């Protein structure tokens, strides 16, 4: 497969007969589309439900924009509610509004202000600045999911943590003697929530210096945690980004696809 072809032409399934249509529809029930065509095509439909997907990359590579776009798209398309855990005050309703203006949802007959209010009612943003606050929010989420609590009339289907490394890096090798075990506890909780409640979990991770090239932070212990790891890079002076598979349960590493994010 030519990985440099446009997203619309790459990764398509065969539509030769009705059976292909049925199989494709059934497969897409297992995905939560991000609305970013390149990422969705690369992953065969979007974020896989029941799994943890990590976006890693250098600062300003487009990781946060991808998270915001995913949250806006899921809420706008009535797919469910989103819990967005913000570790760096990067979440902004005005950025969500700009994203909504770019989404191809013209068939939704509602004024912009009404649409924004509806979407924002389905995105719950929590500021989380340390590991202990993260544990508290995740425990509250588990209770809510067990009790089938809805947000804006919708079940939470997407959990975003931007960024997980901001919370975990300070406790590894620092003053917390149990830092690594705390990190593994976070990983177990996230994967349990994803599996038990069929959530898509999306986290971001920064890059650190490596031998010859930057590598994802948090070390080998965390490397085994994500089901899927994508590296995001941005073309200089552009809103065009590239997503590259570093790890996937089904797809080969190295595959890549370009996508555009709002400026």
């Amino acid at each position: 497969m030519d990985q440099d072809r446009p997203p619309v032409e790459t990764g398509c399934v065969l539509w030769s007969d009705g059976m292909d249509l049925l199989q494709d529809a059934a497969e897409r029930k297992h995905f939560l589309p991000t609305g970013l065509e390149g990422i969705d095509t690369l992953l065969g439909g979007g974020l896989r439900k029941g799994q943890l997907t990590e976006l890693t990359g250098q600062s300003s590579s487009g990781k946060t924009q991808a998270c915001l776009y995913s949250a806006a798209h899921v809420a706008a398309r009535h797919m469910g509610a989103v819990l967005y855990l913000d570790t760096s005050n990067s979440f902004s309703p005005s950025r969500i509004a700009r994203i909504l203006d770019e989404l191809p949802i013209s068939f939704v007959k509602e004024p912009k202000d009404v649409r924004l209010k509806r979407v924002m009612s389905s995105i719950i943003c929590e500021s989380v600045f340390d590991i202990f606050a993260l544990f508290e929010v995740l425990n509250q989420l588990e209770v809510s999911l067990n009790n089938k609590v809805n947000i804006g009339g919708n079940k939470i289907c997407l959990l975003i943590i931007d960024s997980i490394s901001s919370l975990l890096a300070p406790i590894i090798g620092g003053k917390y003697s149990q830092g690594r075990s705390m990190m593994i506890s976070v990983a177990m909780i996230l994967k349990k929530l994803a599996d038990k409640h069929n959530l898509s979990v999306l986290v971001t991770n920064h890059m650190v210096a490596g031998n010859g090239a930057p590598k994802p932070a948090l070390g080998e212990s965390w490397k085994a945690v994500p089901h899927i790891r994508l590296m995001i890079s941005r073309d200089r002076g552009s809103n065009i980004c590239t997503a590259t598979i570093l790890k996937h349960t089904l797809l080969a590493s190295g595959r890549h696809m370009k996508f555009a994010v709002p400026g």
Side-chain angles (χ1 to χ4, degrees):
M1 181 182 295
D2 185 355
Q3 297 166 355
D4 294 322
R5 290 188 298 177
V8 71
E9 298 177 5
T10 308
C12 295
V13 297
L14 296 176
W15 298 81
S16 57
D17 53 31
M19 183 60 69
D20 289 324
L21 284 167
L22 290 173
Q23 290 176 345
D24 184 68
E27 180 66 14
R28 287 185 180 276
K29 290 181 179 179
H30 301 293
F31 292 96
L32 198 62
T34 67
L36 295 165
E37 186 178 4
I39 289 181
D40 291 340
T41 301
L42 181 65
L43 297 181
L47 305 173
R48 186 172 282 274
K49 296 177 182 179
Q51 293 192 353
L52 190 156
T53 300
E54 178 189 274
L55 303 181
T56 188
Q58 302 278 22
S59 177
S60 302
S61 59
K63 301 186 299 295
T64 292
Q65 290 93 325
C67 289
L68 291 170
Y69 204 100
S70 299
H73 183 259
V74 166
R77 292 285 191 172
H78 302 279
M79 297 176 193
V82 180
L83 178 59
Y84 197 112
L85 305 188
D86 182 13
T87 71
S88 59
N89 292 319
S90 60
F91 184 88
S92 167
S94 63
R95 296 176 75 178
I96 295 292
R98 291 197 298 272
I99 290 170
L100 290 177
D101 289 341
E102 296 191 9
L103 288 179
I105 52 177
S106 57
F107 60 87
V108 179
K109 305 300 182 181
E110 56 185 349
K112 286 185 178 180
D113 58 335
V114 174
R115 182 177 64 188
L116 178 59
K117 184 177 180 180
R118 174 179 64 80
V119 168
M120 291 305 300
S121 70
S122 294
I123 302 175
I124 305 304
C125 181
E126 297 275 359
S127 295
V128 178
F129 299 122
D130 60 51
I131 186 68
F132 304 106
L134 177 61
F135 276 125
E136 182 177 352
V137 171
L138 293 180
N139 287 333
Q140 292 174 351
L141 173 60
E142 184 170 24
V143 171
S144 297
L145 291 170
N146 287 336
N147 292 331
K148 303 185 185 304
V149 175
N150 289 334
I151 305 297
N154 295 310
K155 175 189 173 184
I156 294 176
C157 65
L158 175 60
L159 168 62
I160 297 174
I161 306 178
D162 184 26
S163 74
I164 192 73
S165 52
S166 296
L167 303 176
L168 298 181
I171 68 172
I172 302 175
K175 63 181 180 179
Y176 298 103
S177 60
Q178 302 299 318
R180 195 163 298 278
S181 63
M182 294 169 71
M183 180 180 72
I184 298 304
S185 293
V186 167
M188 292 177 63
I189 293 172
L190 290 176
K191 297 179 87 167
K192 175 185 174 183
L193 288 172
D195 180 65
K196 181 177 179 181
H197 300 284
N198 204 33
L199 297 179
S200 291
V201 177
L202 178 64
V203 305
T204 66
N205 187 5
H206 67 273
M207 303 284 278
V208 295
N211 293 327
K215 62 181 181 179
L218 304 180
E220 293 298 316
S221 296
W222 179 261
K223 181 180 180 181
V225 173
H227 297 92
I228 298 166
R229 171 176 270 183
L230 300 181
M231 183 175 67
I232 306 297
S233 59
R234 184 193 290 261
D235 295 352
R236 185 180 296 274
S238 169
N239 70 332
I240 302 301
C241 301
T242 301
T244 303
I245 295 177
L246 298 184
K247 175 186 176 183
H248 199 289
T249 53
L250 299 174
L251 302 176
S253 299
R255 294 182 55 175
H256 61 274
M257 194 74 70
K258 290 186 179 294
F259 64 98
V261 295

